[in-house]
Amino acid sequence: MLGRLGLFVLTLWAAVTVNFVLPRLMPGTPADAAVAKLAQNGPVSEATRAAIEAQLGVPDGNLLAQYGSYLRQVATLDFGVSYTFYPQTVSSMVSQALPYTLLLVGLVTVLAFVLGTLVGVLSAWKRGTWLDALPTLSGSFLSTFPYFWTALLLLFFLGFVLHWFPTTGAYSATTTPGFTLAFLGDALAHAALPAITILLTSLGGWILGMRNAMINTLGDDYVTFAEANGLRGRTVALRYAARNAILPNLTGFGLSLGGVVGGSVLVEQVFGYPGIGYLLFNAVIGQDYPLMQALFLMITVSVLVANFLVDVLYGLLDPRTRR
Amino acid sequence: MGTGLSGCSVQVRSRPDPTIGQDTMLINADKGNPLFNRVFNPFLVNTRTAAKWIYEPLILVNPLDGEQIPWLAQSWELPDARTIVLTVREAQWSDGEPFTADDVVFTLELLKQVPALDGKGVWQHLASVEADGDRVVCRLQTDDVPALPIIGVTYVVPRHRWAEVADPGTYRDENPVGTGPFVLGNYNPQQYSMDRNPRYWQADSVEIEHLVLPATDNQLDTVTRGYDWSYSFISDVQGTWGAASPHNRWWFPPGGIVALLPNHTVAPFDDVAVRRGLSLALDRGRIADVASEGYMQPAGQTGLVLPNQQDWLDPAIPDAGMVAQDTAAALESFAAAGYTQRDGRLVGPDGRQFAFALTSANGYTDWTRAAQEVAGQLGALGIEVSLQLPQPAGYQSAVANGQFQVALGGMGGGDVFRAFNDLMSSEFLTDVGTSTQANYERFSDPEVDALLAEFRSSTDPARQLAAARSLQRKVYEELPAIGLYYGGLWGLYNDEKFIGWPTAEDPYMAPQNYDSAPLGIFTRLKLAGGAA
């Protein structure tokens, strides 16, 4: 247990440090990014640049000093002021965006996993029939589409041509956010297109993964033995085969759960959805070190935690991993 | 996207929100990322667009031609080249307090105390400022006539509210009180509205009752949502914006010049014969067509944006500075620098091919297309041009630090003095590796500096014009930068509800919906259905 904790801390430190170094390897400074943005509307004077640098207060001190203050920030979870959203603090920007991403990407990821796994079990069990062919074919077809392409297609046809769904934002501009039925319905309608996009493009992977693992397991001796003993088909499929076959899918699920916090950058961008993914995109474009650091740290930590949880679950499902 | 749309049978039409009234303008001006932050401090980088319609400048400058329009200052005079006296007009803050010369002095002093707010560099020109009745007396550090528009565009904030602000550098100003035509209405993170300010000093000229600013702007949204005013480069404007509504109009006047910036600290670009060879080798009409989809015209070699700055043009410069492609002359000029064609390649005195890297910014698609076209045209002459496309921040850093051979960049537009000063003044010279904010190509010529000083210290329009003409000849002959084509201002508007938009025939203001230019447009627009 101690060794595991040590490894966790070491991994965390490495991630935190890479997190510090990577943005600084990008050419240009945060002020350059802000100036470049302004320069698209005309020449930017020296004074403007000086004012921007004074406003942002960057970059200060040598790398070692920056690293020191960065570690202090991480320890106290105070990431200071965002450059791109100055004078907004990083924590206020993150807390504004996080609920949208958790609800949208989180729920859809769980839904896609549950649905895909069930369909995968079914199609493996009924292999050779249309119940196998249909999900397998459509699954492999859909999962070959890139995220953003599917997003654009849905946006265009369901949004702009058919007007079934709102095309941008997380809720209507005229609705006041709050726990009212009207707002929740509105928010749901706005989440529909990005949700469908993520569901469509990720479902195939779960179906195929589960199906293939199932087929392997179904060939194993203990399944044949169970069948020979005359156990009911459903019992064999779920209690014997699926329980073992789900293990690789579960690992994938853990990883994608960790990725939920990172949002779906492209999908959120296409639909103007105010989640973490869009925030991350803005942070990178704006060389926003404080915001980038906070976001990458959140993503790293959530992936680490999700992995840890999967480890625990594995232990419950697979006695062989227990010691 | 646009060309795809027009070629396909699906026609996207605008679907305006039926709840938006006839006296309300839906305006696509403010980009949330993707939500709005409630920041109306007009001096901050990330302020809301509309902060600059709540607060007003002393002088409204038309970005098209640099024309100075009296605004909160109803008049001004320059008794000598280092004094500016502004007379403020009678106006009120939106909370009913009177606007006075004291507010102006307070604002300017604020910029001195908090340099982070002084984005225009007012205090690089000002020495002191004081109020004298309804007049504001600005004393300058040197003879500095062009300081007038720089000081004049300062947004004036109310002393009675801002004096209590503890830290103006991070002040968000969530409930702004200004002198402008609108006050903040409903605000939420996805959309805010503005209401007509009944106390506005020219309230009689404003017929728009409300403005609505949603946080989103993707291009499909621009076309379909039924905006009254939008601003965006848009592919196939006829087939997209134009087809979405019979009332959709557009006007794309030139706003600046996209140019090749040769680095004068790098051989052989320090040789004017090489720069002239490059200039003569290019077919600017084709570059303009390819880069801007035919919307923009090729630019001449005077440093002026035409027709905006026609009045400044030196008639002695042939063909208004337009340089036609002339391959023979180009080769002749290259030969003078020691470069000759051999086996279809242009080789230097050392026998190696003339090759250089052209730096542009990743994601600036029109610049990239221009760079590719330039590379192709020079390639036909035997010059090998490789493209370097760093991210915008990396591009900005490389160009400002002089770490490039030839870069794509902007020049010209707006104030004529500042355009020439930014392009050629040796006051901006820094060592390569040290950042500068103008004269990126690091050009230096004592005669040019003398002309700029003459321009700067003269209050006599005739002498200013003479200096400007000599500076144009310098640009034409020395080629500090090589003009390619005009960068556009992409005004998109709808004349169903509001009429009186600026056009090529009546270019009273740049058609941009950011900064304070819209003040000049809001006060000119009329309701299409007659007076309210």
Side-chain angles (χ1 to χ4, degrees):
Chain A
M1 194 60 207
L2 251 174
R4 189 174 230 168
L5 196 70
L7 195 70
F8 183 83
V9 171
L10 195 73
T11 321
L12 193 63
W13 172 80
V16 163
T17 303
V18 167
N19 207 351
F20 171 81
V21 174
L22 274 186
R24 283 168 176 77
L25 291 179
M26 288 167 71
T29 64
D32 284 327
V35 170
K37 203 156 75 179
L38 288 181
Q40 286 176 289
N41 290 338
V44 179
S45 71
E46 192 170 5
T48 308
R49 186 193 176 82
I52 288 172
E53 280 178 347
Q55 280 182 23
L56 301 184
V58 287
D60 54 332
N62 61 19
L63 273 185
L64 207 65
Q66 286 186 39
Y67 184 58
S69 65
Y70 164 71
L71 284 184
R72 266 195 303 283
Q73 283 182 342
V74 170
T76 56
L77 292 181
D78 166 25
F79 289 92
V81 177
S82 159
Y83 296 163
T84 29
F85 301 99
Y86 184 89
Q88 223 81 358
T89 60
V90 168
S91 50
S92 74
M93 291 311 297
V94 171
S95 57
Q96 197 178 51
L98 194 58
Y100 291 109
T101 294
L102 285 186
L103 285 177
L104 174 72
V105 192
L107 282 182
V108 174
T109 303
V110 173
L111 194 67
F113 171 70
V114 172
L115 216 67
T117 306
L118 286 179
V119 173
V121 169
L122 185 74
S123 64
W125 191 246
K126 303 274 182 194
R127 63 185 180 282
T129 70
W130 67 271
L131 271 174
D132 178 25
L134 185 72
T136 312
L137 275 179
S138 53
S140 43
F141 183 63
L142 284 174
S143 58
T144 51
F145 291 164
Y147 255 137
F148 60 92
W149 198 74
T150 311
L152 285 174
L153 274 188
L154 291 177
L155 179 70
F156 186 72
F157 286 107
L158 300 190
F160 284 101
V161 176
L162 296 173
H163 299 285
W164 286 358
F165 297 105
T167 53
T168 165
Y171 52 88
S172 302
T174 44
T175 320
T176 320
F179 281 103
T180 62
L181 217 58
F183 173 71
L184 290 178
D186 187 49
L188 225 57
H190 279 79
L193 280 183
I196 294 172
T197 304
I198 301 174
L199 197 65
L200 277 185
T201 46
S202 62
L203 201 57
W206 298 123
I207 296 179
L208 295 180
M210 191 61 199
R211 178 183 175 273
N212 294 346
M214 263 300 269
I215 284 175
N216 274 335
T217 332
L218 284 174
D220 282 349
D221 291 343
Y222 69 91
V223 176
T224 319
F225 182 70
E227 277 180 316
N229 271 341
L231 290 180
R232 281 188 5 194
R234 191 193 295 170
T235 314
V236 176
L238 294 179
R239 301 263 312 267
Y240 283 69
R243 179 165 167 178
N244 286 305
I246 203 172
L247 292 174
N249 246 24
L250 204 62
T251 313
F253 179 59
L255 288 176
S256 53
L257 261 195
V260 163
V261 178
S264 295
V265 178
L266 287 171
V267 170
E268 288 189 7
Q269 215 209 330
V270 169
F271 295 105
Y273 203 78
I276 294 287
Y278 206 157
L279 205 58
L280 183 63
F281 173 80
N282 277 308
V284 172
I285 292 295
Q287 293 313 60
D288 191 341
Y289 298 162
L291 189 55
M292 264 194 274
Q293 277 157 359
L295 290 175
F296 286 142
L297 190 73
M298 264 175 49
I299 294 167
T300 317
V301 169
S302 50
V303 170
L304 284 175
V305 168
N307 277 0
F308 180 76
L309 291 180
V310 168
D311 260 6
V312 172
L313 246 177
Y314 238 88
L316 292 178
L317 282 171
D318 185 355
R320 284 170 304 177
T321 55
R322 275 180 230 152
R323 257 190 275 164
Chain B
M1 194 85 207
T3 37
L5 285 188
S6 64
C8 125
S9 59
V10 179
Q11 180 56 60
V12 173
R13 293 210 169 271
S14 68
R15 290 233 311 190
D17 182 345
T19 62
I20 290 178
Q22 282 302 308
D23 54 1
T24 298
M25 177 181 287
L26 184 66
I27 177 167
N28 188 4
D30 202 349
K31 194 175 162 81
N33 279 318
L35 295 179
F36 288 137
N37 293 319
R38 190 164 181 155
V39 180
F40 287 92
N41 179 340
F43 304 117
L44 295 186
V45 190
N46 296 310
T47 188
R48 296 266 60 85
T49 302
K52 292 165 183 180
W53 314 335
I54 292 171
Y55 294 108
E56 294 187 292
L58 293 158
I59 301 172
L60 186 62
V61 176
N62 183 350
L64 274 185
D65 52 10
E67 184 200 357
Q68 297 163 6
I69 303 162
W71 214 251
L72 282 180
Q74 59 175 334
S75 64
W76 52 85
E77 54 190 277
L78 286 76
D80 55 70
R82 59 172 67 195
T83 312
I84 299 171
V85 180
L86 299 149
T87 305
V88 302
R89 74 171 67 249
E90 213 169 289
Q92 274 179 59
W93 297 100
S94 57
D95 62 2
E97 294 285 319
F99 159 78
T100 67
D102 271 346
D103 290 311
V104 179
V105 173
F106 168 79
T107 303
L108 290 171
E109 291 286 349
L110 180 74
L111 301 188
K112 184 184 189 182
Q113 285 152 20
V114 190
L117 300 184
D118 189 8
K120 299 287 179 198
V122 168
W123 285 92
Q124 292 171 8
H125 302 270
L126 268 182
S128 71
V129 58
E130 65 204 50
D132 173 16
D134 63 350
R135 300 193 314 164
V136 177
V137 182
C138 303
R139 298 196 197 285
L140 305 173
Q141 294 171 6
T142 57
D143 288 354
D144 192 358
V145 175
L148 173 65
I150 295 172
I151 294 166
V153 297
T154 304
Y155 302 104
V156 184
V157 296
R159 171 179 224 148
H160 66 277
R161 294 187 50 113
W162 280 64
E164 302 145 21
V165 174
D167 182 4
T170 57
Y171 178 51
R172 291 165 56 182
D173 195 16
E174 300 193 18
N175 298 297
V177 168
T179 56
F182 294 97
V183 292
L184 186 58
N186 292 320
Y187 177 90
N188 90 41
Q190 286 208 116
Q191 174 169 299
Y192 61 92
S193 66
M194 317 262 299
D195 301 327
R196 202 171 82 98
N197 174 9
R199 293 196 171 98
Y200 188 43
W201 55 271
Q202 44 181 341
D204 293 346
S205 314
V206 181
E207 295 194 357
I208 308 160
E209 276 300 324
H210 310 281
L211 301 177
V212 175
L213 294 99
T216 58
D217 73 344
N218 56 48
Q219 289 211 342
L220 215 44
D221 181 58
T222 299
V223 170
T224 55
R225 199 153 171 180
Y227 284 105
D228 296 295
W229 190 0
S230 188
Y231 180 91
S232 168
F233 175 81
I234 191 162
S235 282
D236 182 23
V237 68
Q238 172 83 57
T240 51
W241 174 257
S245 157
H247 286 279
N248 278 353
R249 309 269 176 262
W250 60 94
W251 181 40
F252 299 159
I257 301 168
V258 180
L260 289 182
L261 309 177
N263 189 334
H264 293 246
T265 66
V266 174
F269 304 107
D270 52 349
D271 186 341
V272 68
V274 169
R275 302 198 294 270
R276 185 168 298 118
L278 292 174
S279 170
L280 287 165
L282 296 173
D283 177 353
R284 289 170 176 72
R286 213 170 137 65
I287 295 169
D289 262 1
V290 168
S292 72
E293 298 186 15
Y295 298 141
M296 301 314 298
Q297 298 296 313
Q301 190 56 36
T302 56
L304 293 179
V305 177
L306 303 177
N308 305 355
Q309 297 167 332
Q310 192 72 43
D311 297 346
W312 293 89
L313 183 68
D314 181 353
I317 293 180
D319 208 8
M322 195 57 68
V323 180
Q325 185 182 36
D326 184 342
T327 312
L331 287 174
E332 210 171 289
S333 193
F334 282 128
Y339 289 90
T340 47
Q341 256 184 343
R342 195 184 301 160
D343 307 329
R345 305 188 321 159
L346 198 67
V347 295
D350 57 357
R352 305 227 321 249
Q353 186 177 15
F354 184 16
F356 66 87
L358 178 55
T359 305
S360 179
N362 207 325
Y364 296 7
T365 44
D366 59 328
W367 285 21
T368 307
R369 286 193 297 255
Q372 285 164 340
E373 182 62 27
V374 166
Q377 292 184 9
L378 295 179
L381 236 66
I383 302 171
E384 189 188 329
V385 181
S386 54
L387 297 188
Q388 278 191 348
L389 302 171
Q391 291 297 315
Y395 161 84
Q396 188 65 37
S397 156
V399 168
N401 288 300
Q403 284 149 345
F404 64 97
Q405 292 180 292
V406 180
L408 237 71
M411 68 173 186
D415 184 66
V416 171
F417 170 79
R418 224 179 317 160
F420 285 121
N421 199 55
D422 283 353
L423 180 64
M424 297 186 287
S425 171
S426 55
E427 70 174 297
F428 297 114
L429 284 186
T430 59
D431 293 334
V432 166
T434 309
S435 173
T436 182
Q437 284 316 307
N439 192 356
Y440 292 129
E441 73 281 0
R442 290 165 158 76
F443 173 84
S444 170
D445 179 345
E447 285 178 42
V448 166
D449 288 335
L451 286 168
L452 289 169
E454 158 82 7
F455 200 149
R456 176 184 286 254
S457 61
S458 170
T459 53
D460 174 7
R463 279 175 59 204
Q464 288 185 343
L465 182 62
R469 287 182 171 178
S470 303
L471 287 165
Q472 289 164 50
R473 278 196 293 276
K474 281 289 183 185
V475 178
Y476 188 70
E477 284 156 15
E478 300 291 324
L479 299 109
I482 299 163
L484 297 178
Y485 65 99
Y486 293 124
L489 298 177
W490 313 109
L492 306 169
Y493 45 81
N494 180 300
D495 65 5
E496 186 169 11
K497 289 191 281 185
F498 302 99
I499 52 175
W501 298 92
T503 59
E505 292 72 41
D506 185 15
Y508 64 86
M509 186 51 72
Q512 64 188 39
N513 59 19
Y514 54 89
D515 286 346
S516 42
L519 290 173
I521 296 176
F522 290 145
T523 47
R524 292 276 289 256
L525 293 180
K526 301 281 167 246
L527 288 172

